[in-house]
Amino acid sequence: MYFKFTFCPIILLLWASLSFAQNVNVVTHGAASIAKTDDNFVCVTLDWWPAEKCDYNQCPWGKAGILNLDLRYGALINAIKAFNPLRIKVGGSLQDNVVYKVGEVSSCPNFMKREDGLFGFSQGCLSMERWDQLNRFFNHTGVKLTFGLNALFGRNESQTEKGLWIGDWQPQNTRDFMQYTISKGYKVDSYEFGNQLSGSGMGAKVDAKQYGKDVIVLKNLVKELYAHPETQPKVLGPGGFYEEKWFNTFLEVSGQGIVDGLTHHIYNLGPGDDPNMMNKILDPSYLNQVSQTYKGVSDVVNKFRPQLGAWVSESGGALNGGSKDVSRTFADGFWYLDQMGMASTYDQKVFCRQALIGGNYGLLNATTFVPNPDYYGALLWHRLMGSTVLAVTKESDPDLRVYAHCAKKKPGVSLIFINLSKDRSFNITLSNAKPGDAGKPNYEFVGKQNREEYHLRALTGDIKDDIVCLNDVPLVQTDSEDIPAMDPKLVDASTPISIAAQSIAYVTIRDFEAPACV
């Protein structure tokens, strides 16, 4: 993984030049925004899975779980610091099986394989010594933290309905945990209540009315313990798969002002062992299907108006650790970056990738901490794409995906172009929609300043490669394990934007007239 390349192999350039070029006009509507994201839209998770977590005859977690991760590695520290800051959500399937060793809880068991346990494991424990270590790490790396709470504590599984957990949530262990956290001065941006307990649930489920009553208890607990509004963490939920009736019922019961952010999960690629995974990622009609979920969640948000809007608080693409043949490769970026673009247009405020490290879908290799291609795509999004989302229209070629935001560093706009086509490149001309004149033709944009372009391609031209090139230079860590420089290529504004076949490009245009970005 540490081979040093000066340039991508020449075969890549020949492959790009042989592809058929298609001219496309893209219209960016800069007069008004269509949505807003959080400034820290890009988010990653850290999961509880122990090394014994296995799927599809493989065990890809190693020591990447929260309780086992070695926090001293420079490569890990540098990968997080590069975001400055990075939003991290601590949570996952086993979070509703975690007790906190504080207050009345004196024993601290490790997760053990157990056939009748939640997700096949016994109860686990977070000691305050480990919580101290994690917080020193979060403070050192500048993490913006969301912590997933155990929402099953005190409940019992129903004797008549498998998977349904009944009874009131018991908050004492969470109270003791929060009091300890406050006493140490640890900063928590938000607490998420439970993991995948909504609707039909995953492993376990809670009735919507019961969840609504319990989240009120949590909100009151947070308000009691965090007396100062400016330091009071937000309460998020339900952190599960969207089911319209369940979401509506829980919000009707809890009422407005209780849940600050409505969180849901997306795994729209299905099981990680699906042999058709690559075809799904490259099929624009398949990628579009999840838009119905985003629309449904947005409709619920518009109805109940939680302060923070909707979050995708977990999304790994493929279930059960991801796909060993796809998730670590350049190809996964066609799904991942397209999903972030689509989610932002539906006013989703945050998009959390499962996971920073661990499984096959980690942004970092679980043993070497070397970034996988999606890490660099996420970092560029974080640095370039601002929180103001703009509408884009284009000629109807579904293989070209385009999303536009105001540039994170003003002035200008930043766009991401995703070319799913195997054999066609696109030459893009930009047009600017005339503000307030919907019936009039748009006018072609002719820039006077050089464009800033960031072209991402697979090292060998094979999208199953796990090394990505930026502007034809392979992205590999430095000898000191720092993230490499990611500088743009400056391109004459009078030329079309060229997007090679099966490539991804970010483009920032500083002199694009967009009143929404002023």
Side-chain angles (χ1 to χ4, degrees), residues 44-50 53 61 65-66 88-98 100 111 118-119 121 146-152 192-197 202-204 238-241 265 267 313-315 352-355 361:
V44 297
T45 68
L46 286 174
D47 207 301
W48 294 99
W49 288 122
K53 166 63 174 172
W61 281 90
I66 294 163
I88 289 182
K89 189 197 84 168
V90 170
S93 297
L94 292 180
Q95 79 180 50
D96 295 303
N97 222 18
V98 176
Y100 318 121
F111 288 117
L118 188 62
F119 294 101
F121 285 90
T146 295
F147 187 87
L149 294 168
N150 179 346
L152 292 183
E192 187 176 36
F193 189 52
N195 183 82
Q196 296 180 350
L197 301 175
M202 286 286 286
F241 294 106
H265 293 181
Y267 280 91
S313 63
E314 185 179 315
S315 184
C352 296
R353 168 64 179 255
Q354 171 81 346
Y361 41 33

Side-chain angles (χ1 to χ4, degrees), residues 18-21 420-425 501-502:
L18 291 174
S19 63
F20 170 73
L420 303 175
S421 176
K422 184 178 182 179
D423 54 13
R424 283 178 300 147
S425 60
Q502 291 191 332

Side-chain angles (χ1 to χ4, degrees), residues 53 99 104 116 135 139 162 218 222 228 237 251 272 343 358 365 436 501:
K53 166 63 174 172
V99 297
E104 297 176 357
D116 62 343
N135 277 279
N139 184 60
K162 184 174 175 59
L218 172 59
V222 170
H228 301 290
L251 288 168
N365 183 287

Side-chain angles (χ1 to χ4, degrees), residues 1-111:
M1 296 298 294
Y2 288 97
F3 292 109
K4 300 295 182 182
F5 300 91
T6 303
F7 296 103
C8 292
I10 192 67
I11 188 173
L12 179 62
L13 302 179
L14 293 173
W15 164 77
S17 66
L18 291 174
S19 63
F20 170 73
Q22 180 174 333
N23 297 325
V24 176
N25 181 251
V26 171
V27 182
T28 300
H29 301 255
S33 67
I34 59 169
K36 285 273 191 178
T37 70
D38 188 87
D39 287 337
N40 296 106
F41 175 75
V42 176
C43 163
V44 297
T45 68
L46 286 174
D47 207 301
W48 294 99
W49 288 122
E52 293 78 14
K53 166 63 174 172
C54 304
D55 293 289
Y56 317 125
N57 299 314
Q58 52 167 329
C59 307
W61 281 90
K63 294 186 176 181
I66 294 163
L67 299 178
N68 302 313
L69 182 61
D70 191 333
L71 305 173
R72 300 169 297 177
Y73 277 95
L76 175 64
I77 292 169
N78 293 339
I80 295 174
K81 280 187 169 183
F83 281 82
N84 188 34
L86 177 61
R87 184 187 293 278
I88 289 182
K89 189 197 84 168
V90 170
S93 297
L94 292 180
Q95 79 180 50
D96 295 303
N97 222 18
V98 176
V99 297
Y100 318 121
K101 188 186 176 186
V102 63
E104 297 176 357
V105 175
S106 56
S107 62
C108 200
N110 293 320
F111 288 117

Side-chain angles (χ1 to χ4, degrees), residues 77-374:
I77 292 169
N78 293 339
I80 295 174
K81 280 187 169 183
F83 281 82
N84 188 34
L86 177 61
R87 184 187 293 278
I88 289 182
K89 189 197 84 168
V90 170
S93 297
L94 292 180
Q95 79 180 50
D96 295 303
N97 222 18
V98 176
V99 297
Y100 318 121
K101 188 186 176 186
V102 63
E104 297 176 357
V105 175
S106 56
S107 62
C108 200
N110 293 320
F111 288 117
M112 302 290 290
K113 294 284 285 184
R114 179 175 157 180
E115 192 171 324
D116 62 343
L118 188 62
F119 294 101
F121 285 90
S122 67
Q123 193 175 71
C125 169
L126 174 63
S127 70
M128 293 304 95
E129 290 79 11
R130 182 58 173 175
W131 185 229
D132 293 339
Q133 293 171 4
L134 287 165
N135 277 279
R136 286 194 292 270
F137 176 77
F138 295 149
N139 184 60
H140 177 59
T141 54
V143 165
K144 198 174 186 70
L145 179 65
T146 295
F147 187 87
L149 294 168
N150 179 346
L152 292 183
F153 195 89
R155 306 187 205 270
N156 295 298
E157 188 170 3
S158 169
Q159 298 298 309
T160 58
E161 184 176 348
K162 184 174 175 59
L164 176 65
W165 286 64
I166 57 177
D168 294 334
W169 175 63
Q170 299 300 312
Q172 187 60 51
N173 192 222
T174 292
R175 172 185 285 274
D176 293 336
F177 173 69
M178 287 185 180
Q179 286 177 326
Y180 180 86
T181 299
I182 293 166
S183 72
K184 302 289 283 189
Y186 299 150
K187 295 179 181 178
V188 177
D189 176 73
S190 45
Y191 288 108
E192 187 176 36
F193 189 52
N195 183 82
Q196 296 180 350
L197 301 175
S198 58
S200 303
M202 286 286 286
K205 61 183 178 180
V206 173
D207 178 76
K209 291 181 179 179
Q210 180 67 59
Y211 184 94
K213 291 192 297 184
D214 292 329
V215 82
I216 294 172
V217 175
L218 172 59
K219 181 68 171 184
N220 289 335
L221 179 62
V222 170
K223 290 169 70 174
E224 173 195 343
L225 298 181
Y226 292 87
H228 301 290
E230 63 272 14
T231 60
Q232 192 176 100
K234 304 297 189 293
V235 171
L236 312 175
F241 294 106
Y242 173 67
E243 290 188 19
E244 181 181 1
K245 183 179 179 180
W246 195 99
F247 271 55
N248 275 280
T249 299
F250 123 67
L251 288 168
E252 287 167 357
V253 171
S254 62
Q256 293 193 0
I258 299 299
V259 175
D260 298 296
L262 187 69
T263 55
H264 67 109
H265 293 181
I266 295 288
Y267 280 91
N268 58 315
L269 295 179
D273 64 345
D274 186 348
N276 198 39
M277 186 73 63
M278 189 69 76
N279 291 332
K280 288 180 176 180
I281 285 175
L282 296 175
D283 181 353
S285 62
Y286 186 89
L287 294 176
N288 287 340
Q289 290 175 15
V290 75
S291 65
Q292 294 304 307
T293 297
Y294 292 131
K295 183 181 184 304
V297 173
S298 293
D299 288 345
V300 174
V301 167
N302 290 334
K303 181 179 179 181
F304 292 96
R305 301 193 179 281
Q307 176 188 353
L308 301 181
W311 291 23
V312 179
S313 63
E314 185 179 315
S315 184
L319 286 161
N320 300 325
S323 168
K324 67 180 179 65
D325 297 320
V326 178
S327 296
R328 302 173 180 175
T329 71
F330 179 77
D332 197 63
F334 296 122
W335 160 79
Y336 176 42
L337 298 176
D338 182 69
Q339 285 300 294
M340 289 207 291
M342 189 186 301
S344 67
T345 65
Y346 282 93
D347 213 28
Q348 311 287 293
K349 306 303 184 184
V350 172
F351 193 99
C352 296
R353 168 64 179 255
Q354 171 81 346
L356 172 63
I357 187 166
N360 292 307
Y361 41 33
L363 294 185
L364 306 178
N365 183 287
T367 54
T368 65
F369 299 91
V370 169
N372 289 319
D374 280 352

